[in-house]
Amino acid sequence: MSDAAVLIGTCGWQYPQWNTSYYPEGLPADWRLAFYGNEYPVVLLPASYWSQGREAINSWLEETAERPEFICEWVFGAEGLGQDSLRDGIAELAERVLGIMVTLQAQPDATQLQEIARLAADYPVCLDWPEAEPGQLHALLSQAGLAKTVGICWRGEAENVAQLDSGRLLVARVPSEGQTPRSLRSLLETLITNASDRQVVVLFDGNPPDLEIVDQAEVIVNLL
């Protein structure tokens, strides 16, 4: 785990728009993650990337050193991806895995809760369920006996600040669109206030994420 109190990155790095606006012209596709890692310490590895297979995973490791670290997205029932394949892919990344984000599309059943518990035994895990009602994930984790070990991904909503008190890893997944220096400072101050001794990870989303906003967030963190 990084020594930095707050790690800032983006949801994915394979955006066609970045091929001309961010990555240098002529940079081989295999080198883009290394280029990204020189600037940003963490990245969400979206569930859709797993379909690229073991060869892609090996290239991500071969072309980079210690950065970026990965928050690995896990989606139950992802097309063409069995749970064993997901586990194997995460294991291949080994110590570069900072945590796992389990993205939910519905209330998990008993089998899925058991799988979440198994993941949480090996890695810091947080749940991301954008459609959940306030307090719904808290109640779910409490009923399953997972409130202390499994966190809840925060989307920056003021009504869901209570989500920040669970789990071993504090993850915020927020849109880059519409952010201002004031909103970024408020977001980061809220996370740091609730961090205790946990690692904080902020992942900016978008199509593509706005890297000017990501850079602004890094500047603000260094000033706080």
Side-chain angles (χ1 to χ4, degrees), residues 38-69:
N38 285 332
E39 297 197 45
Y40 306 112
V42 65
V43 69
L44 177 73
L45 203 167
S48 59
Y49 287 21
W50 294 117
S51 62
Q52 297 174 40
R54 182 62 60 85
E55 185 175 343
I57 294 172
N58 289 338
S59 73
W60 301 336
L61 292 172
E62 289 171 1
E63 299 297 338
T64 60
E66 297 179 356
R67 288 172 41 132
E69 293 182 282

Short mmCIF file of all heavy atoms in Angstrom, two decimals, residues 38-69:
data_model
loop_
_atom_site.label_atom_id
_atom_site.label_comp_id
_atom_site.label_asym_id
_atom_site.label_seq_id
_atom_site.Cartn_x
_atom_site.Cartn_y
_atom_site.Cartn_z
N ASN A 38 3.38 7.23 -14.66
CA ASN A 38 4.38 8.23 -14.32
C ASN A 38 3.74 9.48 -13.72
O ASN A 38 4.42 10.25 -13.02
CB ASN A 38 5.18 8.63 -15.57
CG ASN A 38 6.19 7.57 -15.97
OD1 ASN A 38 6.68 6.82 -15.12
ND2 ASN A 38 6.48 7.49 -17.26
N GLU A 39 2.45 9.68 -13.99
CA GLU A 39 1.77 10.88 -13.51
C GLU A 39 0.78 10.58 -12.39
O GLU A 39 0.59 11.41 -11.49
CB GLU A 39 1.04 11.56 -14.66
CG GLU A 39 1.97 12.07 -15.75
CD GLU A 39 1.29 13.08 -16.65
OE1 GLU A 39 0.60 13.98 -16.14
OE2 GLU A 39 1.43 12.94 -17.88
N TYR A 40 0.13 9.43 -12.45
CA TYR A 40 -0.94 9.13 -11.50
C TYR A 40 -0.66 7.79 -10.82
O TYR A 40 -0.30 6.81 -11.48
CB TYR A 40 -2.29 9.10 -12.21
CG TYR A 40 -2.56 10.37 -12.98
CD1 TYR A 40 -2.60 10.37 -14.38
CD2 TYR A 40 -2.76 11.59 -12.32
CE1 TYR A 40 -2.83 11.53 -15.09
CE2 TYR A 40 -2.99 12.75 -13.03
CZ TYR A 40 -3.02 12.72 -14.41
OH TYR A 40 -3.24 13.88 -15.12
N PRO A 41 -0.83 7.74 -9.50
CA PRO A 41 -0.39 6.55 -8.75
C PRO A 41 -1.38 5.40 -8.70
O PRO A 41 -1.03 4.30 -8.28
CB PRO A 41 -0.19 7.11 -7.34
CG PRO A 41 -1.19 8.22 -7.24
CD PRO A 41 -1.24 8.83 -8.60
N VAL A 42 -2.64 5.64 -9.12
CA VAL A 42 -3.65 4.60 -8.99
C VAL A 42 -4.61 4.69 -10.17
O VAL A 42 -4.80 5.77 -10.75
CB VAL A 42 -4.42 4.74 -7.65
CG1 VAL A 42 -5.22 6.03 -7.61
CG2 VAL A 42 -5.31 3.54 -7.38
N VAL A 43 -5.21 3.56 -10.52
CA VAL A 43 -6.18 3.54 -11.60
C VAL A 43 -7.20 2.43 -11.33
O VAL A 43 -6.87 1.40 -10.74
CB VAL A 43 -5.49 3.30 -12.97
CG1 VAL A 43 -4.92 1.89 -13.09
CG2 VAL A 43 -6.42 3.62 -14.14
N LEU A 44 -8.44 2.69 -11.73
CA LEU A 44 -9.44 1.63 -11.70
C LEU A 44 -9.25 0.75 -12.93
O LEU A 44 -9.16 1.26 -14.06
CB LEU A 44 -10.86 2.20 -11.71
CG LEU A 44 -11.97 1.16 -11.76
CD1 LEU A 44 -12.10 0.43 -10.42
CD2 LEU A 44 -13.32 1.80 -12.12
N LEU A 45 -9.15 -0.55 -12.71
CA LEU A 45 -9.09 -1.51 -13.81
C LEU A 45 -10.53 -1.98 -14.05
O LEU A 45 -11.02 -2.85 -13.33
CB LEU A 45 -8.17 -2.67 -13.45
CG LEU A 45 -7.57 -3.48 -14.59
CD1 LEU A 45 -6.45 -4.36 -14.07
CD2 LEU A 45 -8.59 -4.30 -15.32
N PRO A 46 -11.22 -1.39 -15.03
CA PRO A 46 -12.64 -1.72 -15.23
C PRO A 46 -12.84 -3.19 -15.57
O PRO A 46 -11.98 -3.84 -16.16
CB PRO A 46 -13.04 -0.82 -16.42
CG PRO A 46 -12.04 0.29 -16.41
CD PRO A 46 -10.76 -0.34 -15.95
N ALA A 47 -14.01 -3.69 -15.20
CA ALA A 47 -14.32 -5.10 -15.46
C ALA A 47 -14.20 -5.43 -16.95
O ALA A 47 -13.80 -6.54 -17.31
CB ALA A 47 -15.72 -5.42 -14.95
N SER A 48 -14.53 -4.48 -17.81
CA SER A 48 -14.48 -4.73 -19.25
C SER A 48 -13.06 -5.02 -19.74
O SER A 48 -12.88 -5.68 -20.77
CB SER A 48 -15.06 -3.54 -20.02
OG SER A 48 -14.33 -2.36 -19.73
N TYR A 49 -12.04 -4.55 -19.01
CA TYR A 49 -10.66 -4.77 -19.45
C TYR A 49 -10.22 -6.22 -19.28
O TYR A 49 -9.29 -6.67 -19.94
CB TYR A 49 -9.70 -3.88 -18.66
CG TYR A 49 -9.71 -2.41 -19.00
CD1 TYR A 49 -10.80 -1.81 -19.64
CD2 TYR A 49 -8.65 -1.59 -18.65
CE1 TYR A 49 -10.82 -0.46 -19.91
CE2 TYR A 49 -8.66 -0.23 -18.92
CZ TYR A 49 -9.74 0.33 -19.55
OH TYR A 49 -9.74 1.68 -19.82
N TRP A 50 -10.87 -6.94 -18.34
CA TRP A 50 -10.45 -8.33 -18.09
C TRP A 50 -10.58 -9.19 -19.34
O TRP A 50 -9.85 -10.18 -19.51
CB TRP A 50 -11.28 -8.95 -16.97
CG TRP A 50 -11.08 -8.34 -15.62
CD1 TRP A 50 -12.02 -7.70 -14.87
CD2 TRP A 50 -9.88 -8.32 -14.84
NE1 TRP A 50 -11.49 -7.27 -13.68
CE2 TRP A 50 -10.17 -7.63 -13.63
CE3 TRP A 50 -8.59 -8.80 -15.04
CZ2 TRP A 50 -9.22 -7.43 -12.64
CZ3 TRP A 50 -7.63 -8.58 -14.05
CH2 TRP A 50 -7.96 -7.92 -12.87
N SER A 51 -11.51 -8.83 -20.23
CA SER A 51 -11.73 -9.65 -21.44
C SER A 51 -10.53 -9.62 -22.38
O SER A 51 -10.46 -10.41 -23.32
CB SER A 51 -12.99 -9.18 -22.18
OG SER A 51 -12.85 -7.85 -22.61
N GLN A 52 -9.57 -8.74 -22.14
CA GLN A 52 -8.38 -8.67 -22.98
C GLN A 52 -7.43 -9.84 -22.72
O GLN A 52 -6.50 -10.06 -23.48
CB GLN A 52 -7.66 -7.33 -22.77
CG GLN A 52 -8.50 -6.14 -23.19
CD GLN A 52 -7.86 -4.81 -22.84
OE1 GLN A 52 -6.64 -4.64 -22.97
NE2 GLN A 52 -8.66 -3.86 -22.40
N GLY A 53 -7.67 -10.56 -21.60
CA GLY A 53 -6.96 -11.80 -21.38
C GLY A 53 -5.65 -11.69 -20.64
O GLY A 53 -5.16 -10.60 -20.31
N ARG A 54 -5.06 -12.86 -20.40
CA ARG A 54 -3.84 -12.97 -19.62
C ARG A 54 -2.66 -12.26 -20.29
O ARG A 54 -1.81 -11.67 -19.61
CB ARG A 54 -3.50 -14.46 -19.41
CG ARG A 54 -2.27 -14.72 -18.57
CD ARG A 54 -2.42 -14.18 -17.14
NE ARG A 54 -3.54 -14.79 -16.46
CZ ARG A 54 -3.48 -15.96 -15.82
NH1 ARG A 54 -2.36 -16.64 -15.78
NH2 ARG A 54 -4.55 -16.44 -15.20
N GLU A 55 -2.61 -12.28 -21.61
CA GLU A 55 -1.50 -11.62 -22.31
C GLU A 55 -1.49 -10.12 -22.02
O GLU A 55 -0.42 -9.53 -21.80
CB GLU A 55 -1.62 -11.86 -23.81
CG GLU A 55 -0.45 -11.31 -24.62
CD GLU A 55 -0.53 -11.65 -26.09
OE1 GLU A 55 -1.29 -12.58 -26.44
OE2 GLU A 55 0.17 -11.00 -26.89
N ALA A 56 -2.66 -9.52 -21.99
CA ALA A 56 -2.74 -8.08 -21.69
C ALA A 56 -2.31 -7.82 -20.26
O ALA A 56 -1.57 -6.86 -19.99
CB ALA A 56 -4.16 -7.58 -21.92
N ILE A 57 -2.75 -8.66 -19.34
CA ILE A 57 -2.38 -8.48 -17.93
C ILE A 57 -0.86 -8.55 -17.78
O ILE A 57 -0.25 -7.73 -17.09
CB ILE A 57 -3.07 -9.53 -17.05
CG1 ILE A 57 -4.58 -9.33 -17.05
CG2 ILE A 57 -2.53 -9.48 -15.62
CD1 ILE A 57 -5.36 -10.43 -16.38
N ASN A 58 -0.25 -9.52 -18.44
CA ASN A 58 1.20 -9.66 -18.37
C ASN A 58 1.90 -8.42 -18.93
O ASN A 58 2.92 -7.96 -18.39
CB ASN A 58 1.66 -10.90 -19.13
CG ASN A 58 1.28 -12.19 -18.43
OD1 ASN A 58 1.05 -12.20 -17.22
ND2 ASN A 58 1.20 -13.28 -19.17
N SER A 59 1.35 -7.85 -20.01
CA SER A 59 1.98 -6.67 -20.60
C SER A 59 1.85 -5.47 -19.67
O SER A 59 2.76 -4.64 -19.59
CB SER A 59 1.36 -6.35 -21.97
OG SER A 59 0.05 -5.82 -21.84
N TRP A 60 0.72 -5.35 -18.94
CA TRP A 60 0.57 -4.25 -17.99
C TRP A 60 1.65 -4.32 -16.92
O TRP A 60 2.17 -3.29 -16.50
CB TRP A 60 -0.81 -4.29 -17.34
CG TRP A 60 -1.96 -4.19 -18.30
CD1 TRP A 60 -1.93 -3.63 -19.56
CD2 TRP A 60 -3.28 -4.68 -18.11
NE1 TRP A 60 -3.16 -3.75 -20.15
CE2 TRP A 60 -4.00 -4.38 -19.30
CE3 TRP A 60 -3.93 -5.33 -17.06
CZ2 TRP A 60 -5.35 -4.73 -19.45
CZ3 TRP A 60 -5.28 -5.67 -17.22
CH2 TRP A 60 -5.98 -5.37 -18.39
N LEU A 61 1.99 -5.54 -16.51
CA LEU A 61 3.00 -5.70 -15.47
C LEU A 61 4.41 -5.51 -16.03
O LEU A 61 5.27 -4.90 -15.38
CB LEU A 61 2.88 -7.09 -14.84
CG LEU A 61 1.61 -7.32 -14.00
CD1 LEU A 61 1.52 -8.78 -13.60
CD2 LEU A 61 1.59 -6.43 -12.77
N GLU A 62 4.63 -6.01 -17.23
CA GLU A 62 5.97 -5.94 -17.81
C GLU A 62 6.36 -4.51 -18.18
O GLU A 62 7.54 -4.14 -18.09
CB GLU A 62 6.04 -6.82 -19.06
CG GLU A 62 6.00 -8.32 -18.76
CD GLU A 62 5.84 -9.16 -20.00
OE1 GLU A 62 5.78 -8.57 -21.12
OE2 GLU A 62 5.77 -10.39 -19.88
N GLU A 63 5.38 -3.71 -18.58
CA GLU A 63 5.68 -2.36 -19.06
C GLU A 63 5.66 -1.32 -17.94
O GLU A 63 5.96 -0.14 -18.18
CB GLU A 63 4.68 -1.95 -20.15
CG GLU A 63 4.70 -2.83 -21.39
CD GLU A 63 6.03 -2.78 -22.13
OE1 GLU A 63 6.78 -1.80 -21.95
OE2 GLU A 63 6.34 -3.73 -22.87
N THR A 64 5.32 -1.73 -16.72
CA THR A 64 5.29 -0.79 -15.60
C THR A 64 6.12 -1.35 -14.46
O THR A 64 6.46 -2.52 -14.43
CB THR A 64 3.84 -0.56 -15.11
OG1 THR A 64 3.27 -1.81 -14.69
CG2 THR A 64 2.98 0.02 -16.23
N ALA A 65 6.43 -0.48 -13.50
CA ALA A 65 7.20 -0.92 -12.34
C ALA A 65 6.27 -1.02 -11.14
O ALA A 65 5.50 -1.96 -11.03
CB ALA A 65 8.34 0.06 -12.08
N GLU A 66 6.29 -0.03 -10.26
CA GLU A 66 5.45 -0.07 -9.07
C GLU A 66 4.17 0.73 -9.25
O GLU A 66 3.26 0.62 -8.43
CB GLU A 66 6.22 0.47 -7.87
CG GLU A 66 7.43 -0.38 -7.51
CD GLU A 66 8.20 0.19 -6.34
OE1 GLU A 66 7.83 1.29 -5.85
OE2 GLU A 66 9.15 -0.46 -5.89
N ARG A 67 4.09 1.55 -10.28
CA ARG A 67 2.93 2.40 -10.50
C ARG A 67 2.37 2.15 -11.89
O ARG A 67 3.13 1.89 -12.81
CB ARG A 67 3.31 3.88 -10.37
CG ARG A 67 3.59 4.32 -8.94
CD ARG A 67 4.14 5.70 -8.85
NE ARG A 67 3.56 6.69 -9.72
CZ ARG A 67 3.17 7.89 -9.32
NH1 ARG A 67 3.26 8.25 -8.06
NH2 ARG A 67 2.71 8.77 -10.17
N PRO A 68 1.05 2.28 -12.02
CA PRO A 68 0.10 2.59 -10.96
C PRO A 68 -0.31 1.33 -10.20
O PRO A 68 -0.14 0.22 -10.67
CB PRO A 68 -1.10 3.15 -11.73
CG PRO A 68 -1.08 2.37 -13.02
CD PRO A 68 0.39 2.19 -13.33
N GLU A 69 -0.87 1.57 -8.99
CA GLU A 69 -1.54 0.48 -8.30
C GLU A 69 -2.96 0.38 -8.83
O GLU A 69 -3.50 1.34 -9.40
CB GLU A 69 -1.53 0.74 -6.79
CG GLU A 69 -0.14 0.69 -6.18
CD GLU A 69 -0.16 0.89 -4.69
OE1 GLU A 69 -0.29 2.05 -4.25
OE2 GLU A 69 -0.03 -0.11 -3.95
#
